[in-house]
Amino acid sequence: MLEDASAKGMLAASALIAHGRGEAFDYLLGEVTTATALGATREAAARLSGGVRSVISINGNVAALAADDLIRCSALLGCPLEINIFYRTPERMTALLEHMSERKAAVADSPAPTGWSGNGDQSWAEVVSAVRILGDEPNATIPGLEGPRAKCHREGILDSDVILVPLEDGDRCEALVAMGKDVLVVDLNPLSRSAMMGNVTIVDELTRFCANLLATLLEGAPVVSRGWDNEANLKSSLDEIYNNISRTDSSPES
Amino acid sequence: MLEDASAKGMLAASALIAHGRGEAFDYLLGEVTTATALGATREAAARLSGGVRSVISINGNVAALAADDLIRCSALLGCPLEINIFYRTPERMTALLEHMSERKAAVADSPAPTGWSGNGDQSWAEVVSAVRILGDEPNATIPGLEGPRAKCHREGILDSDVILVPLEDGDRCEALVAMGKDVLVVDLNPLSRSAMMGNVTIVDELTRFCANLLATLLEGAPVVSRGWDNEANLKSSLDEIYNNISRTDSSPES
């Protein structure tokens, strides 16, 4: 999927390298969603549902790997998606906007996810069609960032209170936290700056996370925790990697 | 360097993802050459020096990252380099052969490495110019592999007794071991199939390894160990990752 996205001009050159880093961390996790990650996913679902102006930020890798499920999540949440990329060029933005529009049309045409209980008298196609995909005409900037990477939509990222930023760059994550937003990060490296900076960090592979987020939203959003401790969450994620490696360590094949 | 190499057509699409996986493992190692890796590098230097027909196999990532030092090592060893890639296409082979020829000319024009004690009455430029870069006219196949990836040179890989294969694919590594060669692997993941399959596995980042290999060869090759235990070597590399993570684990920044 990433090779195709790269050929379509959706990705920066470094995007594939970043993906490979994630693959290695997933390998260390045993390529499974851990109990800790599932708990963090449920917390993210609760916060996105409870947000007054939730938004989901989409970069090139996210668009390539998880467009469909995130469009479904946006439809359930009634929140916009905003394409927001680190290396913003007109060509990449056009390729990403086209891809997301295509995927939105495809998701609207496909059956509603199992467990969808409806939304008044709207059909699934209508609910999906109402999802706004922002990014084409940024009219604001994220304070503390410079150049094209600061650009965003006022009605999307700028005025949001809760923001899901899968696979986000550390600087941008920091800037969003500094704006006082509730920042939900998906990152396979529990020691990355984004992971440490976020308010809720889900240490899981993106497509598994999106499937779990969707399932959680379909079940009905859980309640936001009173005392979410993201440091403990990261520590627990790191322990899971550590335990997985030490299990492997005792029996290298020869 | 990899982005440039990718733009020049030297790399398969998956090469950047593979590199990213390596970066993550290097991060876990603390981005340093460990004592274990240095010991394995010295063993590799000893075996390459002792080989009757040693050869160094070069793929796209290796050419992009470490051409110069491997050309210097080949000059010191008097052994050929062979470009041998998994996704072999005429375009990639042409791009790689051009790149290696350019780098060979540049290395021949640059000063001899510090510590070079000369080679009879030959100048450094002459020693480098004598390095053969194979890959352009494969005339043999590696048994057990199919399609273009099996192609090799008889006077290079096929008839070699000792082969250095940095960043090698698991299938090809297995095929070389099955041919009875002494296979020296460089791989940052001590649990990869290549790492487990090799006779000597150096768990280190490629450019650090190449600099250390060059320095070891310049000092004069060490003697081959009698009872090299590659399983113990891998176990030790894994322990180093494990210890590095557990040190980090105790103090996540908040």
Side-chain angles (χ1 to χ4, degrees), chain A residues 187-203:
Chain A
D187 197 317
L188 275 158
N189 176 3
L191 295 170
S192 79
R193 218 148 60 78
S194 295
M196 306 242 232
M197 204 71 74
N199 298 107
V200 177
T201 303
I202 302 99
V203 180

Side-chain angles (χ1 to χ4, degrees), chain B residues 230-246:
Chain B
N230 205 46
E231 196 173 325
N233 169 54
L234 289 172
K235 177 80 168 57
S236 175
S237 299
L238 204 52
D239 285 343
E240 285 160 337
I241 290 178
Y242 185 82
N243 291 337
N244 193 49
I245 294 180
S246 53

Side-chain angles (χ1 to χ4, degrees), chain A residues 97-230:
Chain A
L97 285 159
E98 275 176 17
H99 175 75
M100 292 302 294
S101 294
E102 279 172 25
R103 296 319 309 161
K104 180 176 147 179
V107 170
D109 280 348
S110 66
T114 309
W116 185 59
S117 53
N119 186 7
D121 55 2
Q122 286 192 298
S123 68
W124 174 248
E126 286 167 336
V127 173
V128 174
S129 299
V131 170
R132 293 187 64 194
I133 296 174
L134 304 173
D136 54 338
E137 293 189 328
N139 52 7
T141 55
I142 301 172
L145 296 179
E146 287 180 6
R149 67 191 56 165
K151 289 187 182 180
C152 71
H153 279 241
R154 175 169 293 283
E155 67 275 32
I157 289 175
L158 194 81
D159 284 346
S160 66
D161 55 345
V162 181
I163 179 167
L164 174 65
V165 281
L167 319 181
E168 185 54 284
D169 157 75
D171 282 346
R172 226 165 27 192
C173 193
E174 184 169 6
L176 294 168
V177 170
M179 289 172 81
K181 300 189 186 308
D182 197 10
V183 179
L184 319 175
V185 170
V186 182
D187 197 317
L188 275 158
N189 176 3
L191 295 170
S192 79
R193 218 148 60 78
S194 295
M196 306 242 232
M197 204 71 74
N199 298 107
V200 177
T201 303
I202 302 99
V203 180
D204 201 2
E205 188 276 328
L206 180 67
T207 65
R208 291 198 305 266
F209 160 76
C210 290
N212 290 330
L213 178 66
L214 180 62
T216 306
L217 293 172
L218 286 166
E219 284 166 12
V223 176
V224 175
S225 310
R226 290 212 178 171
W228 178 260
D229 181 345
N230 205 48

Side-chain angles (χ1 to χ4, degrees), chain A residues 2-3 13-14 16-25 27-28 189 191-192 196 231 234-235 238-239 241-242 245-250 252-254, chain B residues 2-3 13-14 16-25 27-28 189 191-192 196 231 234-235 238-239 241-242 245-250 252-254:
Chain A
L2 286 168
E3 289 177 21
S14 56
L16 296 176
I17 298 179
H19 178 76
R21 284 195 297 268
E23 280 190 357
F25 280 104
Y27 173 88
L28 296 175
N189 176 3
L191 295 170
S192 79
M196 306 242 232
E231 197 174 323
L234 288 172
K235 175 79 167 58
L238 204 50
D239 285 343
I241 289 178
Y242 185 82
I245 294 181
S246 52
R247 264 198 307 280
T248 321
D249 195 14
S250 58
E253 298 165 37
S254 53
Chain B
L2 286 168
E3 289 178 22
S14 58
L16 296 175
I17 298 179
H19 178 77
R21 284 195 297 269
E23 280 190 359
F25 281 104
Y27 174 90
L28 296 175
N189 176 2
L191 295 170
S192 78
M196 305 241 232
E231 196 173 325
L234 289 172
K235 177 80 168 57
L238 204 52
D239 285 343
I241 290 178
Y242 185 82
I245 294 180
S246 53
R247 264 199 307 281
T248 321
D249 195 14
S250 58
E253 299 165 35
S254 53

